[in-house]
Amino acid sequence: MRPGWLLLAVVLGCWGCSAPKERAKHPRMIVLGVDGMDPVFVEKHWALLPNLDRLRRQGGFQRLATTNPPQSPVAWSAVITGLDPGGHGIFDFVHRDAATITPYSSMAEVLEARRTFALGPWILPLESGQVRNLRQGAAFWTLLGAHGVPARILRMPVNFPPVEFPGESLAGMGTPDLQGGYGTFTTFTSELGAVERTVPGGRIVPVKMQGRRAVLTVEGPVNGFRRSHPLSTAELTVDVDEGTGTALISAGGQRFALRAGEWSPWFRLEFSLLGPAAKARGIARVLLRRVTPSLEVYLSPVNMDPREPALPISTPKEFSGTLAGAVGPFYTQGIAEDTSALRAHSLSHAEFLQQAGQVLDDNMALFRHELDRYEDGLMFYYFSSIDQHAHVLWGRYDEELARIYQRVDEAVGLAMAKLGSDGTLVVMSDHGFSTFDRAVHLNSWLEQEGLLKLIDGSKRGDEELFANVDWSRTQAYALGLNEIYLNLAGREPNGAVAPGEDSQAVLRKISERLLALRDPQTGKAVVKAVYTAAQVATGKLPGYAPDLVVGYEPGYRASWQTALGAVPERIIVPNEEAWLADHCIDPEFVPGVLFTNRKPALEKPHLRDVPVTILKQFGVAVPAAMTGHPMF
């Protein structure tokens, strides 16, 4: 460097160092939210979890009481707001529209533009559509931001779209894929006789080989610019070499060769909506499952591209792109581990572990990057992997599950090293886990009790959304994983139960009968407790709130068919799916964990204590609506 340039660099360097005012240093606090970390599993594996073991010896380890019901959206909403469901408004993964008795996501909704201009087959919006977070109540980080406390909130569930605040955030559970769902995979197969069909969480699509080539049509978002609202599409081309067991896959100018059994890296897909004027961009990965005797390709759900997300997934808006620039593309979908593909046999056990491992790798890369940047204030980071692995490994593959715990333990060790003795570290989970041995068809039980009536009593099965229900004679129905609703006159369109004394009598009858329910195969009680809405939520409840919440005994859970309003033949059946374990039972049996590097002051902490503790840590006044207590 020439002397003149050197002088200029020194001058500019000194100017750059001295000009900005030093930012006031804030207390340091890192909170790691670990979905589904179970206290009993941890206690059995201390030797494999040296950092968690060290943390409990340094500060404390306790069971953390969860919400009722102990479902993740409900629990994390309590962590975010310090409120119960009556305050934050989240009672389940799904709520139901009482006017139509159809389910919808409890976490967010997309609103189309109200003002449009029709032009032939096109519909041109005159204003932007909106996506709305349905959670209510103030998030603790907005209170921190209002008081000038720096905060980064990464992957927090039920934070899609992320609430605006002065810090940085990346949306977590509740963030949809590019189709607007919570993860739709596609399996393409050239197997003879294959038929196109939908399966829970995905599609099976037959493809025809044209010589050694197959062209795969990938479905993207609904094209709202067209009157008919068709799905937009993109293409993948697969050129097979049976001799080497490989295939060359091409998509939008990107090409990569895979051997059978190999995963692709992330690649971009473009979906044209209005010619070059409007395109939706996503990212996906494929697994070449086999090339002989037939071609089979698994395509991941198409995630929003963090560099150009179709919907807001971060604050500020460009933050997700900055992260992708630092660590590469990553899963933006809220629950990215593809347990649906495992349940549908579109991924084998080993292939699922590979896919879920990629999700954890993405998460660890983001975590390390953000931890390196951390200086002071609050950093919250959420890990989904233990929960999603536990659902399919619990009780049968403990060694594999322990390895996932070890990866999170590694993150705990990194956070401990980053803070040293200067700062507060909290590691917490929203709930624990239990076995899921027996599935309860709750609508079938209601029918047996004479509380739900069918139009045709000979037709029972897996048809969803109460297709055969006679609403004029039905008193109660179940939807979601823990909820029962009355068919209430004045609320439901064909309500058969009068409000007041009649409705209370029906509620008492359901509770008494459920508590008396015994598994005909084992003789065991199925339900531990039945709660009224007023027992799980305070204040004036919204019309979508359930009337009863069912607290199942360990080993039992509502069936998948119950969650979507089906009425199968039997009442209790063995759970024979790959989904081995769950937590949507009575909250007494599935507390979460609380680790701290300081001695805790509360004997029986609750999730609602977490935001109060954080606000207290930074000297921010706790709103009166928050009912928790500081842990220190």
Side-chain angles (χ1 to χ4, degrees):
M1 182 179 288
R2 289 184 297 175
W5 285 107
L6 177 61
L7 178 62
L8 180 61
V10 170
V11 170
L12 289 176
C14 291
W15 178 80
C17 289
S18 58
K21 293 181 179 178
E22 282 194 16
R23 182 168 65 83
K25 185 172 175 59
H26 295 269
R28 305 173 84 212
M29 184 177 198
I30 295 176
V31 179
L32 303 185
V34 187
D35 208 307
M37 180 176 275
D38 182 80
V40 176
F41 193 92
V42 168
E43 288 168 339
K44 289 180 178 177
H45 295 86
W46 288 123
L48 298 176
L49 307 171
N51 294 308
L52 285 170
D53 189 28
R54 188 157 52 96
L55 185 58
R56 66 151 173 161
R57 294 177 190 280
Q58 180 181 342
F61 164 61
Q62 295 172 285
R63 280 157 172 73
L64 185 59
T66 185
T67 53
N68 192 7
Q71 298 187 27
S72 291
V74 186
W76 288 109
S77 294
V79 172
I80 292 169
T81 65
L83 306 175
D84 65 32
H88 57 64
I90 307 294
F91 290 81
D92 194 298
F93 277 96
V94 296
H95 290 155
R96 64 89 176 82
D97 182 343
T100 59
I101 314 185
T102 53
Y104 61 92
S105 168
S106 64
M107 293 179 272
E109 67 174 349
V110 176
L111 304 173
E112 294 186 354
R114 289 174 296 179
R115 297 173 57 239
T116 60
F117 176 72
L119 182 65
W122 302 96
I123 296 178
L124 305 179
L126 300 178
E127 63 183 11
S128 299
Q130 294 182 335
V131 57
R132 186 166 71 98
N133 191 325
L134 297 178
R135 192 200 67 246
Q136 300 167 24
F140 66 78
W141 58 90
T142 64
L143 302 174
L144 293 178
H147 289 78
V149 178
R152 267 179 283 156
I153 309 297
L154 299 149
R155 301 280 201 189
M156 176 66 87
V158 208
N159 188 38
F160 171 79
V163 293
E164 293 290 339
F165 86 117
E168 295 168 325
S169 67
L170 181 67
M173 178 191 300
T175 306
D177 62 15
L178 198 60
Q179 289 189 359
Y182 292 122
T184 304
F185 71 87
T186 309
T187 294
F188 297 96
T189 176
S190 66
E191 186 175 358
L192 189 64
V195 295
E196 182 166 355
R197 64 187 189 279
T198 59
V199 294
R203 297 188 310 133
I204 311 299
V205 178
V207 294
K208 288 185 177 180
M209 299 298 299
Q210 301 169 353
R212 294 180 177 178
R213 169 169 289 189
V215 179
L216 315 182
T217 300
V218 180
E219 293 186 345
V222 169
N223 189 349
F225 291 98
R226 306 281 300 192
R227 280 180 183 271
S228 56
H229 285 63
L231 288 173
S232 57
T233 59
E235 288 187 347
L236 281 179
T237 301
V238 183
D239 292 297
V240 172
D241 185 338
E242 295 181 351
T244 60
T246 61
L248 182 65
I249 297 180
S250 307
Q254 305 149 99
R255 303 176 75 190
F256 38 87
L258 298 177
R259 295 181 182 278
E262 282 189 336
W263 291 84
S264 75
W266 285 111
F267 58 90
R268 301 185 83 177
L269 289 167
E270 283 191 352
F271 300 88
S272 177
L273 304 176
L274 190 61
K279 294 182 178 181
R281 295 177 173 85
I283 56 174
R285 304 181 70 160
V286 297
L287 167 66
L288 181 63
R289 297 196 76 196
R290 63 173 185 254
V291 296
T292 59
S294 57
L295 174 68
E296 186 165 314
V297 175
Y298 161 88
L299 173 74
S300 74
V302 181
N303 281 229
M304 283 188 275
D305 188 336
R307 294 160 292 195
E308 298 179 87
L311 296 170
I313 61 171
S314 68
T315 58
K317 180 182 178 182
E318 61 274 13
F319 181 54
S320 62
T322 302
L323 289 173
V327 304
F330 54 84
Y331 280 98
T332 54
Q333 175 192 334
I335 302 177
E337 294 86 354
D338 205 343
T339 53
S340 294
L342 176 65
R343 291 174 56 206
H345 308 292
S346 285
L347 290 178
S348 69
H349 180 84
E351 291 165 344
F352 166 76
L353 292 181
Q354 293 166 4
Q355 188 273 335
Q358 293 161 2
V359 178
L360 183 51
D361 289 344
D362 279 3
N363 242 341
M364 287 298 289
L366 283 172
F367 173 70
R368 286 175 181 275
H369 173 73
E370 287 301 300
L371 195 64
D372 284 346
R373 294 178 58 220
Y374 175 73
E375 294 180 3
D376 62 0
L378 175 71
M379 173 176 163
F380 173 93
Y381 202 96
Y382 166 84
F383 290 92
S384 62
S385 291
I386 283 180
D387 176 84
Q388 291 298 294
H389 281 83
H391 278 299
V392 299
L393 300 178
W394 184 269
R396 192 176 300 175
Y397 307 100
D398 273 7
E399 289 186 11
E400 292 173 353
L401 182 57
R403 284 196 281 275
I404 307 304
Y405 271 73
Q406 286 178 293
R407 295 287 305 276
V408 175
D409 182 76
E410 175 190 346
V412 172
L414 293 172
M416 293 176 74
K418 183 72 178 185
L419 285 177
S421 59
D422 178 20
T424 301
L425 176 61
V426 172
V427 180
M428 47 77 56
S429 67
D430 56 336
H431 55 71
F433 258 86
S434 180
T435 57
F436 176 21
D437 304 317
R438 307 276 286 166
V440 182
H441 295 313
L442 198 51
N443 284 309
S444 304
W445 177 82
L446 288 168
E447 191 216 355
Q448 175 186 274
E449 295 295 320
L451 297 163
L452 182 148
K453 299 290 187 180
L454 299 179
I455 299 170
D456 183 344
S458 66
K459 290 185 178 179
R460 298 178 180 82
D462 293 344
E463 195 170 6
E464 298 168 350
L465 302 180
F466 308 101
N468 187 34
V469 168
D470 180 353
W471 290 109
S472 67
R473 297 185 297 139
T474 288
Q475 294 181 294
Y477 58 100
L479 194 69
L481 293 175
N482 296 89
E483 284 68 39
I484 291 178
Y485 302 86
L486 293 180
N487 184 24
L488 194 64
R491 188 180 67 183
E492 272 75 0
N494 296 292
V497 179
E501 190 172 320
D502 287 357
S503 66
Q504 293 305 310
V506 176
L507 293 176
R508 283 195 299 272
K509 179 179 180 180
I510 294 172
S511 298
E512 292 168 2
R513 298 283 182 86
L514 273 176
L515 293 174
L517 176 62
R518 295 294 180 270
D519 186 336
Q521 181 169 314
T522 66
K524 293 181 178 178
V526 176
V527 173
K528 168 67 176 179
V530 183
Y531 304 89
T532 63
Q535 288 176 298
V536 302
T538 56
K540 184 179 180 181
L541 302 184
Y544 59 76
D547 294 301
L548 293 173
V549 174
V550 181
Y552 293 95
E553 290 277 359
Y556 295 89
R557 201 209 72 177
S559 65
W560 298 106
Q561 294 91 331
T562 297
L564 292 174
V567 190
E569 186 72 31
R570 298 164 61 189
I571 294 173
I572 302 175
V573 298
N575 172 31
E576 296 174 336
E577 292 211 20
W579 190 273
L580 301 172
D582 213 287
H583 45 83
C584 299
I585 61 176
D586 193 277
E588 171 187 333
F589 302 115
V590 283
V593 301
L594 176 66
F595 289 88
T596 55
N597 65 347
R598 298 165 55 187
K599 296 294 181 187
L602 295 179
E603 290 187 4
K604 296 181 179 180
H606 189 281
L607 286 173
R608 290 193 296 274
D609 299 326
V610 174
V612 174
T613 302
I614 292 172
L615 293 175
K616 284 282 188 181
Q617 182 72 15
F618 292 97
V620 174
V622 177
M626 288 189 178
T627 56
H629 301 85
M631 297 172 181
F632 310 115

